[in-house]
Amino acid sequence: MYQDIPVKSLIEPTIYRSFEEAIVGSKQVSNLQKKLDHINGKTAIEYGFDGITLKLYFDSQFTLRVSIADKLIKWDVEKTINLEASRLDQNYTFIFPNGEKFKWGWDAVFSKFIGKQVAISTSDQYLFIFYRGGPEFMFSSLVNSENDTDHYLFLAEA
């Protein structure tokens, strides 16, 4: 069953006030990227998703956590302590401002990663993920255009 939700993008472009500020932002991303060594090229074994946060578990005993915070996609790689495979029990049809409808069958998308080698690449605003032999996906965040407290983590082919 799909629930219809009118949405708009929650991500706002990062605007740097100076070249120096852009360099600092770039260094922060670079420091985080070192954590990707724990999961890039490793096999995804399970996932948990609650609509706002995705936890993708790897055979390396590390977890990729992706969530929405401050109108940005936030992510981190952490040592797996508990494998929590709880999942949202609802699928959505997102209705964008231009009238386009997109059925977000998240389980079908995330399940494609299980049992496959995964790679992640990032920038200061976006997070991309793909599995061996598959397409590249980009994480995004959406907000209910009728209730700006309802946010949704979204993954679509880039």
Side-chain angles (χ1 to χ4, degrees):
M1 180 98 189
Y2 284 83
Q3 177 184 354
D4 289 354
I5 300 173
V7 293
K8 59 186 177 184
S9 178
L10 182 63
I11 294 179
E12 293 181 357
T14 301
I15 299 171
Y16 297 108
R17 294 182 296 253
S18 68
F19 184 68
E20 290 78 19
E21 194 176 276
I23 290 172
V24 169
S26 174
K27 286 182 181 177
Q28 289 172 341
V29 170
S30 179
N31 289 337
L32 268 174
Q33 285 180 331
K34 293 175 187 172
K35 291 183 168 190
L36 292 176
D37 291 344
H38 296 295
I39 59 174
N40 270 341
K42 307 297 190 254
T43 301
I45 58 170
E46 186 59 85
Y47 76 91
F49 181 65
D50 66 7
I52 297 173
T53 301
L54 168 69
K55 292 181 180 179
L56 189 59
Y57 301 97
F58 290 85
D59 62 354
S60 61
Q61 304 301 313
F62 282 87
T63 302
L64 171 68
R65 184 177 33 82
V66 183
S67 61
I68 305 167
D70 301 323
K71 298 183 180 180
L72 294 172
I73 300 296
K74 297 288 185 179
W75 64 273
D76 201 358
V77 174
E78 47 204 21
K79 188 79 173 147
T80 301
I81 296 171
N82 289 328
L83 195 128
E84 301 170 27
S86 59
R87 298 192 179 145
L88 186 67
D89 61 357
Q90 179 71 51
N91 286 309
Y92 303 110
T93 298
F94 293 131
I95 304 168
F96 291 92
N98 66 0
E100 177 186 352
K101 291 183 177 185
F102 183 86
K103 282 192 172 191
W104 173 218
W106 55 267
D107 188 52
V109 173
F110 294 139
S111 294
K112 292 178 183 179
F113 291 87
I114 304 306
K116 297 184 177 85
Q117 288 180 305
V118 174
I120 291 95
S121 64
T122 140
S123 71
D124 63 340
Q125 278 186 272
Y126 298 103
L127 183 65
F128 300 90
I129 184 169
F130 63 96
Y131 56 88
R132 183 176 294 273
E136 183 176 39
F137 293 85
M138 182 178 85
F139 285 96
S140 186
S141 60
L142 303 173
V143 61
N144 185 326
S145 54
E146 296 175 351
N147 180 353
D148 64 2
T149 61
D150 289 343
H151 299 169
Y152 306 92
L153 184 65
F154 179 59
L155 186 67
E157 284 191 40

